[in-house]
Amino acid sequence: MDMFEYYGFFREEDSADRLTVAETEIIEHLFDKYLPKEGRVIDTSAGYGTFAFRFAENGYKVTAGDWIADHVEKLKADPKSEMFEGLYCSSPKNLSQFADGSFDILISMGLMYHMRTRADREAFVREALRVLSPEGYFVFSYMTPMAMTLGQYFNAMRTYDASNKIKAYRKLATVEKNHSCDMFYGMTLEEMTDLSREYSLEIITVASTYGMLYNMVDEVEKMDKEQFDKFLQVQKDTCEDPFVSRYCMRGVFIGRKKITDLFD
């Protein structure tokens, strides 16, 4: 299954479980903490507009896009899309319709972990930095190698046919080595650091948004409001710890484009 089939079949953006609510709140907490309070924003993987609408409602000048046409059509059909300065459909690796330095903030939630080759990730980074203004903010979500490995490990555990179980564990060995499973890729903190050095990015924060919560959906759904509020506060308090961000399922990178000179 490729990512177009995945998002069409699972409709991940329609999910309203409490872990998704918690993840959204943590991301918004980090945006409020680190991003400027005004400016020109481009959301290159806007989905159904969760963050694009939030930025627009808070007074930012927002351009929203996605690489999946159905997402863009749904955005166009939403009356709130009148708040956007523009809507488009194209790969974030090719933003040629926008001039250099067009935006102060670029966000891409859910794209980087679908780019399985280093060449694709670097192409995305180059294009993102091209359309950003000097000292513009570059934000993307990531998955970790731990998420890839544990995901395949659980798949192997839950397989009851003997021959398929052997195949699943062999696949686990490949996933552990390549940090990739199906259409997902897990980035290490070292890779983020290398990309930042190579492309002149200042790392503002790398934070967990969806910690080691793979099997906690039912437990979190059963929490009363007081328990859930405490649970959410703990996630916010720990999300920027480097060990948490290294081993989480999903996280967010917030960086700032450096002004470079001939000596950089």
Side-chain angles (χ1 to χ4, degrees):
M1 180 180 291
D2 64 21
M3 66 181 179
F4 296 97
E5 293 173 319
Y6 174 84
Y7 285 104
F9 181 79
F10 287 104
R11 302 185 67 82
E12 191 176 60
E13 294 254 356
D14 290 340
S15 175
D17 63 72
R18 272 180 150 181
L19 288 183
T20 302
V21 171
E23 181 174 39
T24 300
E25 286 202 29
I26 293 166
I27 292 170
E28 292 179 346
H29 159 74
L30 294 166
F31 285 179
D32 290 341
K33 183 175 180 179
Y34 291 111
L35 296 183
K37 304 306 179 187
E38 60 182 10
R40 302 159 295 169
V41 176
I42 181 169
D43 187 342
T44 65
S45 51
Y48 296 157
T50 300
F51 299 110
F53 285 131
R54 182 180 186 273
F55 277 107
E57 289 164 354
N58 287 336
Y60 295 81
K61 297 178 180 179
V62 177
T63 297
D66 204 284
W67 70 99
I68 297 176
D70 286 349
H71 289 178
V72 177
E73 290 305 312
K74 184 162 183 176
L75 281 174
K76 288 180 179 178
D78 193 315
K80 292 189 296 182
S81 66
E82 294 181 357
M83 295 187 294
F84 297 150
E85 296 213 326
L87 272 169
Y88 72 93
C89 182
S90 71
S91 167
K93 294 184 293 181
N94 180 9
L95 302 173
S96 57
Q97 64 269 51
F98 302 112
D100 295 0
S102 295
F103 303 99
D104 304 304
I105 302 168
L106 183 147
I107 68 170
S108 190
M109 310 306 289
L111 173 71
M112 187 67 90
Y113 51 73
H114 289 305
M115 294 186 173
R116 296 180 60 191
T117 69
R118 174 89 179 197
D120 281 343
R121 294 189 292 276
E122 290 195 3
F124 171 47
V125 172
R126 286 194 298 270
E127 191 68 342
L129 295 180
R130 181 188 67 78
V131 300
L132 278 174
S133 60
E135 298 188 286
Y137 287 76
F138 179 33
V139 181
F140 64 81
S141 59
Y142 67 91
M143 286 185 174
T144 67
M146 176 65 79
M148 303 296 98
T149 301
L150 281 181
Q152 181 56 30
Y153 178 70
F154 289 135
N155 286 340
M157 284 180 60
R158 293 165 181 155
T159 300
Y160 297 107
D161 176 81
S163 62
N164 288 333
K165 181 174 282 288
I166 291 171
K167 291 177 183 177
Y169 273 99
R170 286 176 176 169
K171 183 177 179 180
L172 173 60
T174 301
V175 170
E176 186 177 17
K177 178 180 178 181
N178 296 335
H179 301 168
S180 182
C181 185
D182 299 325
M183 62 179 183
F184 298 104
Y185 175 76
M187 289 185 76
T188 65
L189 298 190
E190 289 77 14
E191 183 178 358
M192 293 180 213
T193 300
D194 289 344
L195 282 172
S196 298
R197 287 172 177 165
E198 185 169 352
Y199 290 98
S200 297
L201 270 167
E202 175 190 357
I203 299 176
I204 304 299
T205 193
V206 179
S208 165
T209 60
Y210 199 93
M212 299 293 283
L213 305 175
Y214 308 94
N215 289 320
M216 288 187 63
V217 175
D218 293 339
E219 289 86 343
V220 175
E221 289 296 330
K222 292 176 183 176
M223 292 178 180
D224 61 30
K225 184 179 184 305
E226 182 179 356
Q227 291 172 321
F228 180 70
D229 288 345
K230 184 176 181 180
F231 165 83
L232 181 57
Q233 188 59 51
V234 169
Q235 306 310 310
K236 290 180 180 179
D237 290 344
T238 61
C239 67
E240 294 184 81
D241 183 280
F243 287 100
V244 178
S245 56
R246 176 180 291 274
Y247 296 113
C248 66
M249 178 178 176
R250 283 196 293 258
V252 63
F253 171 102
I254 300 178
R256 184 165 52 206
K257 182 178 176 181
K258 291 181 181 179
I259 298 176
T260 59
D261 56 32
L262 293 175
F263 299 99
D264 288 309

